[in-house]
Amino acid sequence: MAKSPVQFRLNGSDRATFVDPGDNLLTTLRRGLNEFGPKYGCGQGACGVCTVLIDGEPHLSCLTLAVACEGRHVETVSGMADGPNLHPLQTAFMDNFAAQCGFCTPGMLMAARALLERNPNPTREDVIEAIAGNICRCTGYEPIIAAILAAAGNRSQRQA
Amino acid sequence: MALDVRVATSMAEAAGILAADQRTRLLSGGTLVMRDVNEGRFLDGTLLRLTDPAYRQINASGARVELGAGATMAMVLANRDLAFLHPVARAVGGPAIRQMATIGGNLFAETPYGDFAVALLALDAQVMVQSGYGSARAIAIEEFLNARERGGAGLVTAVQFAKPQNAADFRFRKISRVKPKGISVMSIAAHLPNSGSRITQARVAYGAMAPTPVRARGVERALEGKPLDAASVQAAKAAALEGTRPATDAIATEWYRREVMPVHLGRLLAGEGR
Ligand SMILES: Cc1cc2nc3c(=O)[nH]c(=O)nc-3n(C[C@H](O)[C@H](O)[C@H](O)COP(=O)(O)OP(=O)(O)OC[C@H]3O[C@@H](n4cnc5c(N)ncnc54)[C@H](O)[C@@H]3O)c2cc1C
Ligand code: FES
Ligand code: FES
């Protein structure tokens, strides 16, 4: 089967590649575009480690057909920092020891980012709900919840 | 042979393609289809994408609601006219799944999935099905679900139902072991319109209590014409298991599902917490 071209914005830059028709976005990012931010966990939608933002909303890249991303904006953890300046969520994850092995972290950060863009002042329940599709085997979730709440607090303090 | 992707720009075109080729599967949100692709269960055939904006349209401002089959759970959650359905849409997976999962796909999701379909069954929805290039015809959701296993249903374009006159008449509860996200041990939806404080046209539906979502006819009979009081709730609980055929799966045993269904039904009807 012939490969198909696909073009989309990736973290603000136009990118193009060729994919097999049934390729998912995760494979396309990792194998075709050397974008290793999103991880491959289950390939079934169950772990959330492949979460990316598509046009600002969280999607599971393992369950997204690559050709369906034509013309859309895909954002991964690699695009979160502004040059050497980490995103407040990234800083909060470090400060709150919210990563151990770090495997879930790219997906957690993307889920958290989607939440804070929609709701800058989330409650603890909002945070739990936002990361409900993301599995972490190491931290027990509490440091992650604390980090996201801390990042939200810092953001609202900066805006005040 | 390999996998192919086609794009249809209108619902008629999509229905025509699906009717002409048994090896074509519609990719709606893709949350279940892509799993099959990733795991090599769907290697040889065509994935059909449908870009018709009408497929995703929601019309909910009037007394009759129409949800395009391509509308997602997130779109339901963003619609204020559909507030009574928000607990149902919120019960489906985590936020990323809800962004992708569609109403049409949920009608085909195998047990223990299909939580939204359970709500649609309690709302007496009509499923609009287009087979080939003709126009869509309405099929009662119960008939649609009974026929689902036989396959070849065509394209589901939309679902339609009357909006509950009073949002409090509609109740939904998903019972799962992992909170806030987790697969259903079971789900229950009830639409209990009342006139003069007596229930008329009671509809109660279960998920994960049979191979497809099913109506709880014994419960409906027990409630019909009665006020929602301790006696009718007790009678409903006694009839809770009529017509059920729960399975044993990774989430729960058949025995457990039978044991706890009357308890959760009783709490739902009595308006109690979990
Ligand atoms: C991690 C995870 C968690 C989940 N949690 C839940 C949950 O809590 N509750 C729940 O109910 N479900 C859950 N699901 C299942 C699923 O995501 C939903 O049921 C969803 O609504 C399916 O919709 P979809 O558009 O993604 O389906 P798709 O994968 O696009 O399609 C599913 C099937 O239906 C067919 N189909 C889809 N739309 C149409 C149409 N319009 N006409 C004809 N055929 C059609 C497809 O060809 C395919 O065979 C979960 C799935 C995953 C991966
Ligand atoms: S790899 Fe995508 S959800 Fe697990
Ligand atoms: S830090 Fe190891 S899985 Fe979350």
Side-chain angles (χ1 to χ4, degrees):
Chain A
M1 181 61 62
K3 292 206 178 252
S4 315
V6 59
Q7 295 187 43
F8 50 83
R9 279 179 88 68
L10 177 60
N11 296 322
S13 305
D14 289 327
R15 303 291 294 269
T17 186
F18 286 92
V19 296
D20 284 326
D23 276 357
N24 62 49
L25 176 63
L26 179 61
T27 310
T28 305
L29 291 171
R30 291 180 63 84
R31 292 215 197 119
L33 295 167
N34 288 339
E35 165 42 43
F36 298 111
K39 302 286 177 264
Y40 180 87
C42 62
Q44 296 191 339
C47 73
V49 76
C50 66
T51 306
V52 299
L53 303 189
I54 301 181
D55 294 338
E57 300 294 351
H59 282 70
L60 299 169
S61 59
C62 72
L63 298 182
T64 302
L65 195 66
V67 290
C69 296
E70 179 72 32
R72 303 181 76 180
H73 192 191
V74 177
E75 291 173 275
T76 70
V77 70
S78 316
M80 272 180 88
D82 179 11
N85 302 318
L86 292 182
H87 188 280
L89 272 166
Q90 292 173 306
T91 311
F93 266 57
M94 286 169 63
D95 293 346
N96 288 273
F97 305 101
Q100 287 185 30
C101 77
F103 193 70
C104 69
T105 313
M108 285 289 183
L109 285 168
M110 297 320 282
R113 186 170 158 198
L115 168 71
L116 296 193
E117 310 239 309
R118 206 180 48 252
N119 176 3
N121 295 303
T123 62
R124 182 183 156 83
E125 280 59 45
D126 295 334
V127 172
I128 291 172
E129 177 66 43
I131 60 169
N134 297 67
I135 291 174
C136 175
R137 294 288 81 178
C138 303
T139 66
Y141 301 99
E142 283 300 329
I144 297 176
I145 296 165
I148 298 169
L149 287 170
N154 288 339
R155 247 169 90 130
S156 47
Q157 273 162 28
R158 273 200 320 277
Q159 280 159 359
Chain B
M1 296 299 280
L3 207 60
D4 186 17
V5 177
R6 287 184 71 176
V7 179
T9 54
S10 74
M11 295 212 258
E13 186 189 357
I17 294 170
L18 286 171
D21 181 3
Q22 291 287 322
R23 293 178 320 123
T24 298
R25 274 176 87 182
L26 187 80
L27 178 118
S28 197
T31 56
L32 297 172
V33 176
M34 285 302 287
R35 207 142 92 156
D36 287 350
V37 172
N38 291 345
E39 293 179 353
R41 279 194 299 272
F42 190 61
L43 284 171
D44 174 21
T46 301
L47 283 174
L48 180 63
R49 293 178 52 214
L50 174 52
T51 57
D52 188 340
Y55 183 60
R56 290 167 71 86
Q57 226 158 48
I58 290 180
N59 195 337
S61 51
R64 194 142 180 95
V65 175
E66 178 164 275
L67 307 178
T72 63
M73 300 299 151
M75 289 166 68
V76 171
L77 282 166
N79 190 309
R80 283 175 189 215
D81 292 324
L82 296 175
F84 66 101
L85 282 173
H86 288 184
V88 187
R90 206 174 289 114
V92 175
I97 289 283
R98 295 199 282 276
Q99 206 65 47
M100 304 168 74
T102 66
I103 286 153
N106 202 267
L107 288 171
F108 291 89
E110 286 181 17
T111 298
Y113 291 149
D115 296 315
F116 206 90
V118 175
L120 291 174
L121 186 54
L123 289 165
D124 259 343
Q126 300 274 301
V127 180
M128 306 304 290
V129 179
Q130 187 159 352
S131 312
Y133 279 90
S135 56
R137 67 196 172 98
I139 302 178
I141 184 165
E142 195 171 21
E143 192 187 323
F144 173 86
L145 291 168
N146 286 337
R148 187 178 78 178
E149 306 311 323
R150 296 200 290 275
L155 174 74
V156 173
T157 60
V159 294
Q160 298 178 348
F161 51 87
K163 195 186 287 178
Q165 292 213 325
N166 185 344
D169 294 345
F170 180 78
R171 299 171 185 204
F172 176 82
R173 159 180 312 229
K174 170 175 166 174
I175 292 92
S176 59
R177 293 179 192 249
V178 180
K179 300 276 166 48
K181 189 201 83 152
I183 301 172
S184 279
V185 170
M186 61 191 54
S187 50
I188 315 172
H191 184 208
L192 307 171
N194 55 73
S195 72
S197 81
R198 289 183 185 274
I199 298 169
T200 53
Q201 299 264 300
R203 289 287 180 274
V204 180
Y206 296 155
M209 289 301 286
T212 59
V214 285
R215 290 258 299 274
R217 286 213 153 69
V219 176
E220 293 174 358
R221 272 200 313 276
L223 296 174
E224 194 62 37
K226 308 270 168 38
L228 195 56
D229 59 13
S232 62
V233 170
Q234 201 48 46
K237 284 171 73 174
L241 296 178
E242 188 186 309
T244 61
R245 283 183 294 145
T248 293
D249 58 24
I251 315 301
T253 61
E254 173 202 345
W255 173 85
Y256 181 78
R257 288 191 162 104
R258 285 192 209 281
E259 285 294 308
V260 301
M261 170 52 92
V263 177
H264 287 293
L265 176 73
R267 288 182 192 164
L268 175 100
L269 295 176
E272 291 168 12
R274 285 158 204 223

